[in-house]
């Protein structure tokens, strides 16, 4: 399923691999002019977890992220990106895609960039689930005759 809302496509762009986004962006063949509102900068964020998934929150550790913001010169649309790691070009492409998805180019960006990235992430998730399922152990209780009254 292709992400349709801004939060969905921004999450997809952030989770996509650097090479996958680079390849998809190359296939798009657009090079819009833009100005930086915030040039790509790298920092750290605290990752929080919850005991048991729903318990009391705790600080799990820090994660390196790169963020940026830009404005398209054609129509003034602003794009943002936060991506894991230190790759500034990943953040730039993600912010450009975010901005273009808010313009008349949205349909072509959805088709050429977002849809293939969504398929790749879905395939990777399915492969990971298959590997995990292969290690699944089903426990059962064996009832012995002498244990019955």
């Amino acid at each position: 399923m292709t992400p349709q809302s801004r939060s969905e496509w921004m999450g997809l762009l952030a989770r996509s691999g650097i090479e996958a986004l680079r390849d998809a962006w190359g296939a798009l063949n657009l090079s819009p002019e833009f100005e930086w509102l915030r040039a790509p900068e790298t920092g750290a964020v605290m990752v929080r977890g919850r005991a048991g998934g729903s318990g009391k929150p705790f600080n799990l550790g820090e994660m390196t992220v790169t963020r940026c913001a830009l404005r398209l010169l054609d129509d003034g649309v602003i794009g943002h990106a936060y991506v894991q790691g230190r790759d500034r070009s990943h953040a730039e492409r993600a912010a450009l895609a975010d901005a273009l998805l808010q313009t008349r180019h949205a349909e072509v960006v959805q088709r050429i960039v977002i849809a293939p990235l969504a398929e790749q992430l879905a395939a990777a998730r399915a492969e990971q689930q298959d590997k995990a399922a292969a290690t699944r152990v089903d426990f059962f209780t064996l009832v012995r005759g002498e244990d019955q009254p």
Side-chain angles (χ1 to χ4, degrees):
M1 184 170 137
T2 304
Q4 298 296 320
S5 73
R6 188 172 187 204
S7 64
E8 290 174 331
W9 75 58
M10 289 183 78
L12 176 72
L13 291 166
R15 287 186 308 273
S16 67
I18 297 165
E19 295 82 18
L21 182 57
R22 185 179 302 129
D23 293 344
W25 187 259
L28 184 61
N29 200 24
L30 281 178
S31 48
E33 293 185 16
F34 64 90
E35 65 180 341
W36 290 114
L37 299 177
R38 177 182 308 215
E41 56 188 8
T42 301
V45 296
M46 181 58 67
V47 178
R48 306 231 342 139
R50 289 188 176 270
S54 61
K56 186 175 181 182
F58 63 95
N59 292 337
L60 184 63
E62 292 182 344
M63 180 176 80
T64 304
V65 296
T66 302
R67 69 178 181 176
C68 66
L70 53 81
R71 178 183 300 131
L72 298 178
L73 294 180
D74 286 348
D75 48 16
V77 174
I78 296 174
H80 298 276
Y82 281 78
V83 298
Q84 182 178 354
R86 299 177 177 274
D87 194 312
R88 293 170 182 249
S89 65
H90 186 190
E92 178 183 335
R93 287 184 182 101
L96 279 169
D98 175 45
L100 289 172
L101 283 161
Q102 300 174 66
T103 68
R104 60 185 166 79
H105 298 291
E107 185 180 325
V108 72
V109 175
Q110 279 279 350
R111 185 171 30 87
I112 295 177
V113 177
I114 300 299
L117 291 177
E119 289 174 13
Q120 288 175 6
L121 284 176
R125 185 176 296 121
E127 180 181 342
Q128 186 178 22
Q129 289 173 345
D130 289 345
K131 285 181 181 179
T135 64
R136 181 177 172 180
V137 176
D138 289 321
F139 292 95
F140 58 93
T141 304
L142 180 64
V143 177
R144 298 181 357 177
E146 66 259 0
D147 293 341
Q148 294 181 1

